């Protein structure tokens, strides 16, 4: 286990857990958090014993945004030249499915980080928002793009222009979260969901995640072409033969991730 400064990272079965741990700053995302989350996620992604990742925070905060104190004195040119927070793109690009388990605040960069994950489980205490407008800026880690795709243009505009927070029930109605669970059950539910995912064949998980990403990034015609090819390519895996044989033989499949 690697000794990180701002996160905890551990393995439970086939699930890699990353827990944000800056309790004094409500898990505000500074460059150390970014470097460490990206490092942990990249290591899990390179390990075929891992089939899913859970990203979580504390009971009070998933993450209350990018670290305002770290950014406050930067100039526009410095933000551009540093590509401040650019490495988050590497987290968004991991092949392994990521489940965000959100309790408490998921604001600004925290909401944007949750939206880089594939599944968002929310405790009934979760609060989502993009309050950057209150700081004289706008979302900068994908919020204007991913929130609009998640909840539609009018809901996204209202949230981003007013900076107001929405509770877990509203976020679920809006389509931002996969499921809301009682706060006390959040980590168990995240474990169950991630373990279920991690029990599938890795090649099909990677293909499903990539095809879902293609749906966000391309036209319907391109996306359908991509899906058709990816679907056909899976017929050259041993796991496809095993999955379909297991169905015919009325037994659970034993995937070898080949
Ligand atoms: N950055 C730095 N420190 C923070 C942050 C933050 N985002 N959020 C909270 N903290 C710190 C507080 O300063 C405080 O520290 P201290 O005790 O040393 O003063 C500690 O965490 C506890 O916070 P509060 O006392 O404020 O706790 P409350 O329970 O009273 O309030 C809130 C909780 C409502 C969540 C409040 O802390 C808050 O409003 N936080 C800021 C939320 C926010 O504006 N987030 C957006 C940040 S900007 C952003 O995310 C841009 C992303 C894109 C960047 C892309 C760059 C390329």
């Amino acid at each position: 286990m690697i000794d990180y400064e701002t996160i905890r990272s551990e393995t439970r079965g086939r699930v890699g857990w990353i827990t944000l741990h800056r309790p004094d700053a409500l898990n505000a995302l500074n460059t150390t958090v970014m470097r460490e989350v990206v490092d942990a996620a990249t290591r899990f992604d390179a390990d075929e014993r891992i089939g899913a990742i859970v990203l979580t925070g504390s009971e009070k905060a998933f993450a209350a945004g990018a670290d305002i104190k770290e950014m406050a004195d930067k100039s526009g040119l410095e933000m551009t030249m540093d590509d401040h927070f650019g490495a988050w793109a590497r987290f968004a690009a991991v092949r392994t499915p990521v489940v965000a388990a959100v309790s408490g605040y998921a604001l600004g960069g925290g909401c944007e980080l949750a939206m880089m994950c594939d599944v968002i489980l929310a405790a009934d205490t979760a609060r989502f928002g993009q309050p950057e407008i209150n700081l004289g800026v706008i979302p900068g880690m994908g919020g204007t793009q991913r929130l609009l795709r998640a909840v539609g243009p009018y809901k996204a505009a209202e949230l981003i222009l007013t900076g107001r927070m929405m509770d877990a029930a509203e976020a679920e109605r809006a389509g931002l979260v996969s499921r809301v669970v009682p706060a006390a059950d959040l980590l168990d539910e995240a474990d169950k969901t991630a373990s279920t995912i991690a029990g599938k064949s890795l090649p099909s998980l990677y293909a499903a995640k990539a095809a879902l990403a293609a749906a966000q990034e391309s036209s319907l015609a391109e996306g359908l072409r991509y899906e058709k090819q990816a679907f056909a390519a899976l017929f050259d895996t041993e796991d496809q033969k095993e999955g379909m044989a297991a169905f015919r033989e009325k037994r659970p499949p034993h995937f070898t991730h080949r």
Side-chain angles (χ1 to χ4, degrees):
M1 204 173 81
I2 298 172
D3 206 12
Y4 292 111
E5 188 189 323
T6 62
I7 66 168
R8 304 278 179 266
S9 165
E10 59 176 313
T11 301
R12 295 185 207 162
R14 287 184 56 76
V15 179
W17 281 73
I18 301 173
T19 304
L20 304 175
H21 188 68
R22 281 191 80 202
D24 297 342
L26 299 182
N27 291 332
L29 307 169
N30 62 13
T31 40
T32 308
V33 178
M34 175 179 66
R35 203 178 51 243
E36 294 189 341
V37 171
V38 170
D39 183 78
T42 309
R43 285 171 192 275
F44 287 141
D45 206 31
D47 183 346
E48 72 170 86
R49 292 167 302 179
I50 298 295
I53 297 169
V54 174
L55 176 66
T56 193
S58 68
E59 220 175 294
K60 184 167 180 191
F62 177 73
D67 191 316
I68 298 168
K69 294 164 190 166
E70 189 184 56
M71 297 184 290
D73 296 327
K74 301 244 182 207
S75 69
L77 185 62
E78 280 172 316
M79 291 299 279
T80 308
M81 300 302 280
D82 286 3
D83 192 15
H84 199 72
F85 287 171
W88 283 119
R90 295 195 353 241
F91 174 76
V94 298
R95 287 170 307 226
T96 310
V98 185
V99 175
V102 177
S103 177
Y105 297 111
L107 301 177
C111 185
E112 293 169 300
L113 180 58
M115 291 190 290
M116 290 178 199
C117 302
D118 303 291
V119 173
I120 304 181
L121 292 184
D124 49 14
T125 55
R127 305 193 74 190
F128 295 87
Q130 298 288 165
E132 290 90 343
I133 205 84
N134 299 325
L135 301 168
V137 291
I138 65 168
M141 277 168 56
T144 58
Q145 308 302 300
R146 291 196 177 96
L147 188 64
L148 181 143
R149 284 166 169 77
V151 305
Y154 300 103
K155 189 93 179 171
E158 193 228 344
L159 289 164
I160 289 168
L161 297 175
T162 65
R164 82 169 172 89
M165 292 184 216
M166 59 179 169
D167 64 18
E170 183 181 356
E172 187 180 34
R173 280 197 304 278
L176 178 61
V177 306
S178 315
R179 203 149 49 86
V180 179
V181 300
D185 300 341
L186 179 69
L187 297 184
D188 280 348
E189 287 294 332
D191 195 39
K192 274 189 216 155
T193 303
S195 299
T196 299
I197 294 170
K200 315 298 181 195
S201 158
L202 273 185
S204 58
L205 288 175
Y206 294 160
K209 177 162 174 163
L212 288 161
Q216 300 270 30
E217 292 160 10
S218 56
S219 70
L220 179 60
E222 285 168 316
L224 290 173
R225 244 190 325 273
Y226 181 91
E227 183 194 73
K228 203 172 184 173
Q229 278 176 347
F231 176 74
L234 288 168
F235 283 74
D236 290 332
T237 64
E238 293 173 18
D239 283 348
Q240 174 270 330
K241 299 291 173 272
E242 165 62 10
M244 295 195 180
F247 174 79
R248 290 202 294 208
E249 293 160 18
K250 301 189 187 301
R251 61 172 175 82
H254 176 69
F255 292 127
T256 55
H257 313 295
R258 293 287 179 275

